[in-house]
Amino acid sequence: MRNVLNALRVLEEVAARQPIGVGELSRVLDLPKSTVQRALVTLDTAGWIRPATGEVTRWVITTKALAVGGSAGGDLGLRGIALPILEDLRRHTGETIHLTIPENGKMVLIERLETDKPVRTSMALGHALPMHASANGKAVLAFTPAEALRPLLRHDLPRYTDTTITDPEALRTELKHIRTRGFAVNNGEWRSDVGAVAAAVLGPDGHPIASLSVNLPIGRLTPDSEPIFGTAVNEAAATISARLT
């Protein structure tokens, strides 16, 4: 059982940090290099990972892993409904669009449509984002029932950049603003060079089940572009929510 758990931990870290090598995985997971190497060989043999192009000592996940992730999203009845709306949003904004779902206290990326612009943000499918430091996470938190929020807002929150909201009361205030205007903004709160504008997708019971976002280099998120992206992403999320009922 321990070998299986170690292999799954290695797979998660490869997905989050790819391309990545044995040494870095060993440090991040606090596992011996020999244990990490055995897990990598097992995952490679099973088709879950492969050597990175031109970097035989570093690893990336395969389409097999992405296919399983896609099936998980499909269980929500979400991706098929969302894809044409995400495509419209990408055409309208000209930026990268993400679809994420809440899972184990994080926002997990299940679909990504890339911008055609040469300077762009990049994130692997399956990557997990912090709830309080991402636009997608804050959009979901804003519509999360109060009792479910209490554990998160009981203590100071982890800081990722100078703009991360770490004070629970400050985050409560931010979530009220998000509910009022209908969209959340990330001004470099998780990665200082990345900005995003997101809106929650609500299920039939009115609770958030996902969020979608416009993602771009922080220099393209301006006081003029922010409300334009916000209106567009809010309308797209509302359309998806309506089609889920």
Side-chain angles (χ1 to χ4, degrees):
M1 178 63 74
R2 182 174 296 278
N3 289 340
V4 173
L5 292 175
N6 285 337
L8 290 173
R9 290 179 65 200
V10 169
L11 179 61
E12 288 175 348
E13 288 303 322
V14 172
R17 302 170 185 269
Q18 61 184 324
I20 187 171
V22 173
E24 187 176 354
L25 283 166
S26 175
R27 288 191 298 274
V28 169
L29 295 169
D30 194 24
L31 290 173
K33 287 185 179 180
S34 58
T35 300
V36 172
Q37 184 62 44
R38 283 195 298 271
L40 289 170
V41 170
T42 298
L43 292 168
D44 181 30
T45 301
W48 292 97
I49 63 173
R50 62 172 176 80
T53 303
E55 300 181 78
V56 295
T57 61
R58 305 182 80 194
W59 298 87
V60 297
I61 62 172
T62 66
T63 54
K64 182 175 183 178
L66 300 183
V68 171
S71 297
D75 288 342
L76 297 174
L78 179 62
R79 289 176 74 251
I81 292 172
L83 273 172
I85 299 166
L86 300 181
E87 184 59 57
D88 287 345
L89 185 60
R90 177 174 62 174
R91 282 196 296 267
H92 178 68
T93 63
E95 299 291 353
T96 295
I97 307 302
H98 288 172
L99 179 66
T100 67
I101 58 172
E103 187 173 279
N104 296 325
K106 302 276 190 178
M107 296 302 297
V108 178
L109 180 63
I110 64 168
E111 189 58 78
R112 177 192 65 225
L113 301 183
E114 295 277 6
T115 179
D116 293 330
K117 296 176 181 177
V119 180
R120 66 185 74 177
T121 63
S122 181
M123 187 185 306
L125 292 177
H127 195 88
L129 300 164
M131 298 288 284
H132 72 288
S134 64
N136 282 302
K138 291 191 294 181
V140 164
L141 290 176
F143 293 92
T144 297
E147 60 272 16
L149 276 180
R150 288 193 189 101
L152 174 67
L153 300 180
R154 194 171 293 153
H155 306 289
D156 286 351
L157 301 161
R159 178 176 296 281
Y160 297 94
T161 72
D162 290 342
T163 58
T164 305
I165 300 174
T166 59
D167 177 66
E169 286 308 311
L171 183 59
R172 287 183 195 275
T173 300
E174 173 75 358
L175 298 181
K176 289 179 183 177
H177 290 326
I178 293 167
R179 284 193 295 273
T180 299
R181 69 189 177 193
F183 61 89
V185 178
N186 170 15
N187 279 299
E189 296 159 42
W190 175 56
R191 286 170 42 188
S192 59
D193 59 337
V194 174
V197 182
V201 175
L202 305 180
D205 60 359
H207 293 165
I209 62 168
S211 66
L212 63 153
S213 59
V214 178
N215 305 269
L216 64 167
I218 195 69
R220 294 208 293 266
L221 185 59
T222 67
D224 290 333
S225 66
E226 181 182 302
I228 295 172
F229 292 145
T231 298
V233 78
N234 178 267
E235 291 176 353
T239 300
I240 296 171
S241 299
R243 294 184 184 181
L244 288 171
T245 58

